[in-house]
Amino acid sequence: MADAAELNVIAGGSMTVPLNKLSPEFEKATGHKLAIHFDSTPNIIARVNSGTPFDVVVVPVDVFKDAAAKAHLAPEPAVDIARVGYGVIVRAGAPKPDISTPESFKKAMLGAPSIAFLPASAAGAHITKVFERLGIAEEMKPKTKVQASPAQIPQAVAKGEADIGVFLTNVLIAPGVELVGPFPGDLQQELVFTSAVAADSKEADAAKALIDYLRTPSATAVIKAAGMTPG
């Protein structure tokens, strides 16, 4: 296609599964090509603010709370693409702790010898705030097995390298682990992934086409299948 574009996309690491599945479908339908860089919120903010060229983002809404990063995005209203809450996993076949109330959740966290998650991320920041709210932040620090990416959290639990994993539930759906359940009561919160075009993108029309595509019925079906709620 003569008007085909090469789009540089920055995306939250927890969007890896749906975007990797949707990427070839979008490319086939439009002729545009996608180069997607997945990363954590702090790294995304640093990447955007460093002047690294990009055309569109599909990132945690926390990125938009950074004034400098937001200045690199077009002024048009951002579009929410997906949202997902938090959960807890154990290794397949392992006993599942009671996390049905905030108090039992606290007891389960304190009783776990080790816990896998990714503190340096938007999701990790919420988890850390939950620990602080429960008054167990200091106790959790020596138990924490920090993972390099969201996908490594369930892998660490499946291998027995950590007793439990806590993160966004869509990330925790993986082989070798079982979901204990969602965070209870008002400890639960949804992380929203939002999309916007880069302010200086030379491929703004193609970038907008990607955002529109991510809201089509076929795309939202993939997002749902990945354990997330569209929009």
Side-chain angles (χ1 to χ4, degrees):
M1 294 175 63
D3 58 351
E6 298 270 351
L7 287 178
N8 288 308
V9 183
I10 300 176
S14 298
M15 288 294 298
T16 300
V17 170
L19 286 183
N20 278 345
K21 189 162 186 179
L22 290 168
S23 179
E25 297 300 322
F26 173 76
E27 292 179 345
K28 182 178 178 181
T30 64
H32 303 314
K33 297 297 180 184
L34 302 181
I36 308 177
H37 176 82
F38 295 101
D39 219 326
S40 63
T41 295
N43 289 342
I44 289 171
I45 291 171
R47 189 178 183 87
V48 169
N49 290 338
S50 72
T52 301
F54 71 98
D55 298 294
V56 61
V57 296
V58 186
V59 295
V61 70
D62 301 63
V63 172
F64 291 77
K65 297 175 183 176
D66 183 275
K70 190 174 182 180
H72 289 280
L73 300 171
E76 291 91 352
V79 178
D80 292 344
I81 300 300
R83 61 190 68 229
V84 63
Y86 296 79
V88 179
I89 52 167
V90 295
R91 189 177 184 180
K96 295 180 180 178
D98 177 15
I99 60 167
S100 59
T101 67
E103 189 57 37
S104 61
F105 179 91
K106 175 181 177 179
K107 184 178 178 181
M109 295 300 106
L110 290 173
S114 58
I115 175 172
F117 79 111
L118 180 57
S121 64
H126 173 69
I127 293 166
T128 300
K129 286 178 184 177
V130 167
F131 293 159
E132 291 171 352
R133 179 178 163 186
L134 293 174
I136 60 173
E138 289 305 313
E139 291 91 333
M140 298 310 296
K141 287 179 181 177
K143 297 171 180 276
T144 299
K145 304 288 186 181
V146 177
Q147 303 301 308
S149 70
Q152 291 181 12
I153 296 169
Q155 292 173 8
V157 176
K159 294 175 183 175
E161 296 169 357
D163 294 276
I164 62 172
V166 293
F167 212 66
L168 300 171
T169 52
N170 66 308
V171 172
L172 300 179
I173 300 169
V177 298
E178 293 177 0
L179 188 66
V180 177
F183 280 26
D186 59 3
L187 299 184
Q188 183 60 276
Q189 177 179 295
E190 286 191 319
L191 180 60
V192 179
F193 291 84
T194 301
S195 192
V197 179
D200 60 355
S201 173
K202 295 180 175 60
E203 304 290 355
D205 289 343
K208 290 175 184 175
L210 174 61
I211 295 174
D212 289 341
Y213 175 77
L214 293 176
R215 302 175 75 197
T216 62
S218 59
T220 56
V222 170
I223 290 170
K224 284 181 182 178
M228 309 178 85
T229 301

